[in-house]
Amino acid sequence: MNILILGSGGREHSLAWAIKQNPKCDRLIVAPGNAGIAAIADCADINILDGGAVAVFAEENAVDFIIVGPEAPLAAGVADRLRSAGFLVFGPSQAAAQLEASKSFTKDVCTDAKAPTAAYQHCKTAEAAKDCVRTQGTPIVIKADGLAAGKGVIIAMTEDEAFAAIDDMFDGSFGTAGAEVVIEEFMEGEEASFFILSDGKTILPIGTAQDHKRAFDGDQGPNTGGMGAYSPAPIMTPKLTQTALREIIQPTMDEMAKRGTPFQGVLFAGLMIENGWPRLVEYNVRFGDPECQCLMMRLGGQVLDLLQACSEQRLHEVQVKWADDHALTVVMAANGYPGAYEKGTPIHNLDAQPEDSQHMVFHAGTGEKGGQIIATGGRVLSVTARGTTLAEAHEKAYAMAHSIDWPDGFYRSDIGWRAL
Ligand code: AMP
Ligand code: GLY
């Protein structure tokens, strides 16, 4: 089978790494990929937001299966375009990707599906949004309606902060994503990420994780795309998992099917858990990054069979085989991230890192210059390890992170603290 993965982050490196282990995988191409991915797959420089260009490339390269990693091509309808060209595709349609691309859409779906989530109001003007804040009081959550690369959510502790966030959004600091906002009740509790495959008819839970969104130790500092993660999430007990499936996930999938836009792909539910009861924070329509790195390390080669069954609407035929294991990933980011950071700084001692079923340094923002690996992005490496306990995975991942020599990067020293 010739497989094409779209994307260039740590998520896509881990997907490629796992899929490569499956004997069904003949040729593996990742577009555009990165320096780490280039070591295990062919990289192709194509514009993944252009479905037509991807279709032409896939045709020329006799691709049998296309896996879409990030949300932007999904929201742009690339999966639809490829499906209509006859390709087998993993990833939801543009209509179903609204579950991530529009917060107000998701809120409407949750209302119709009776899925528990924070109370909310959808506001189209700054004045309406401010009135809502005055009525609701603080703390309160202000969200840009559209895709904002994980940056469109402000948790305001005071009315002034809330007003400033609203002004920012309506002044265009999130581009068109902020043209409308959702004002949401602040939910207390512990967060967990829950990953479910759906083929439009059948759902199959494939794992849980927790990530660390803040930049610095002790969950301090600005919000990021995620500075580390571990899987499984201890808070997601079998009972809680069943409750989330029954009260949130299945009703949402049923509602999407009822609307004529069934969801096909991986649903990433961000849950807030308080007193043993889950509520939805948000949906994403792709694997989480860096949560995916932990899931892939635990699932290994079977992930290709699962994604293929999902895309062929055969999920009822397959099962997930879990080892009783744990994985943890530490993200190494460029100094300054999530703000401004330097590009092109060299990373040393990567060659000395172990690469096996228990250890892997997944690359996110890396490139190669004169044989030297350099940092090209904000989140740069995802140092991942597996163990029979979380403590063991933690020790192995940090041993690798400590020995990577990159003076221009930083990482959190407390990934997994809640579960350890
Ligand atoms: P989102 O982009 O929707 O995942 O939001 C980013 C982060 O903001 C989430 O992971 C939560 O930590 C936090 N958050 C979002 N909505 C709420 C809410 N209603 N109550 C409390 N925290 C929230
Ligand atoms: N780590 C969170 C995300 O991928 O959105």
Side-chain angles (χ1 to χ4, degrees):
M1 200 176 202
N2 295 336
I3 299 166
L4 171 63
I5 300 176
L6 303 185
S8 62
R11 169 181 47 216
E12 287 76 23
H13 190 184
S14 70
L15 281 164
W17 175 84
I19 284 168
K20 189 88 198 280
Q21 293 168 33
N22 190 305
K24 272 201 271 183
C25 176
D26 295 316
R27 182 166 179 221
L28 182 61
I29 313 169
V30 183
N34 62 39
I37 294 172
I40 60 167
D42 295 336
C43 291
D45 192 16
I46 49 179
N47 175 7
I48 63 167
L49 294 177
D50 180 348
V54 178
V56 168
F57 176 86
E59 187 70 50
E60 283 170 1
N61 288 275
V63 168
D64 302 298
F65 186 28
I66 305 169
I67 297 164
V68 187
E71 63 275 19
L74 295 168
V78 168
D80 308 73
R81 176 73 181 74
L82 294 171
R83 266 192 208 100
S84 67
F87 291 102
L88 182 66
V89 181
F90 180 79
S93 66
Q94 184 171 34
Q98 288 293 301
L99 282 177
E100 175 163 359
S102 167
K103 309 244 183 232
S104 58
F105 173 87
T106 299
K107 286 296 193 181
D108 284 347
V109 169
C110 285
T111 303
D112 291 346
K114 300 190 175 57
T117 179
Y120 76 104
Q121 213 167 312
H122 179 197
C123 303
K124 296 185 180 174
T125 66
E127 256 335 290
K130 288 180 187 173
D131 280 345
C132 176
V133 170
R134 284 187 199 100
T135 320
Q136 299 299 317
T138 52
I140 196 152
V141 183
I142 322 283
K143 298 186 174 184
D145 187 46
L147 285 181
K151 296 185 190 99
V153 175
I154 307 288
I155 296 172
M157 303 312 286
T158 65
E159 206 169 87
D160 285 346
E161 270 179 74
F163 289 175
I166 290 167
D167 286 335
D168 256 12
M169 288 185 192
F170 282 98
D171 285 348
S173 49
F174 299 98
T176 52
E180 296 179 15
V181 303
V182 167
I183 308 279
E184 234 178 64
E185 166 200 0
F186 174 77
M187 294 189 282
E188 304 270 3
E190 184 174 337
E191 278 186 81
S193 305
F194 187 20
F195 296 88
I196 305 101
L197 295 181
S198 164
D199 65 8
K201 292 190 210 108
T202 304
I203 61 172
L204 181 70
I206 56 161
T208 63
Q210 280 178 301
D211 85 341
H212 297 258
K213 289 234 163 71
R214 301 297 194 103
F216 309 131
D217 282 7
D219 291 328
Q220 301 295 310
N223 255 318
T224 71
M227 293 300 292
Y230 52 97
S231 170
I235 194 170
M236 291 295 290
T237 59
K239 181 161 174 267
L240 195 80
T241 302
Q242 287 311 316
T243 306
L245 287 172
R246 186 181 64 244
E247 294 192 3
I248 302 175
I249 311 302
Q250 188 68 62
T252 303
M253 295 294 92
D254 291 347
E255 176 62 25
M256 292 300 285
K258 192 173 132 202
R259 291 176 175 218
T261 52
F263 183 90
Q264 226 184 321
V266 60
L267 186 69
F268 161 5
L271 303 175
M272 187 69 81
I273 296 138
E274 194 185 15
N275 303 323
W277 188 62
R279 284 197 282 171
L280 182 77
V281 179
E282 61 156 2
Y283 284 126
N284 295 300
V285 299
R286 48 164 177 91
F287 283 108
D289 189 340
E291 291 93 329
C292 186
Q293 288 84 311
C294 294
L295 292 178
M296 292 307 123
M297 183 143 262
R298 297 184 60 215
L299 287 166
Q302 67 177 313
V303 77
L304 175 58
D305 302 318
L306 296 173
L307 302 193
Q308 188 187 353
C310 182
S311 305
E312 293 174 349
Q313 297 187 290
R314 294 188 290 102
L315 267 187
H316 59 280
E317 290 175 9
V318 295
Q319 280 176 339
V320 186
K321 293 176 206 72
W322 283 112
D324 194 10
D325 59 357
H326 298 257
L328 182 141
T329 189
V330 179
V331 168
M332 297 182 77
N335 288 339
Y337 172 82
Y341 53 82
E342 206 183 321
K343 286 189 184 177
T345 58
I347 307 169
H348 302 285
N349 212 30
L350 281 172
D351 286 345
Q353 303 307 317
E355 284 192 4
D356 54 39
S357 63
Q358 313 247 326
H359 305 83
M360 194 61 205
V361 178
F362 295 116
H363 288 220
T366 66
E368 201 217 285
K369 201 176 172 188
Q372 170 67 50
I373 299 289
I374 55 167
T376 59
R379 290 190 297 168
V380 172
L381 299 171
S382 198
V383 184
T384 312
R386 188 158 74 99
T388 50
T389 62
L390 184 62
E392 188 192 330
H394 178 270
E395 198 185 305
K396 287 178 181 163
Y398 273 105
M400 289 193 284
H402 293 322
S403 74
I404 293 171
D405 177 14
W406 182 32
D408 302 284
F410 76 101
Y411 54 92
R412 279 182 59 160
S413 68
D414 63 349
I415 300 304
W417 66 269
R418 204 190 273 276
L420 290 161

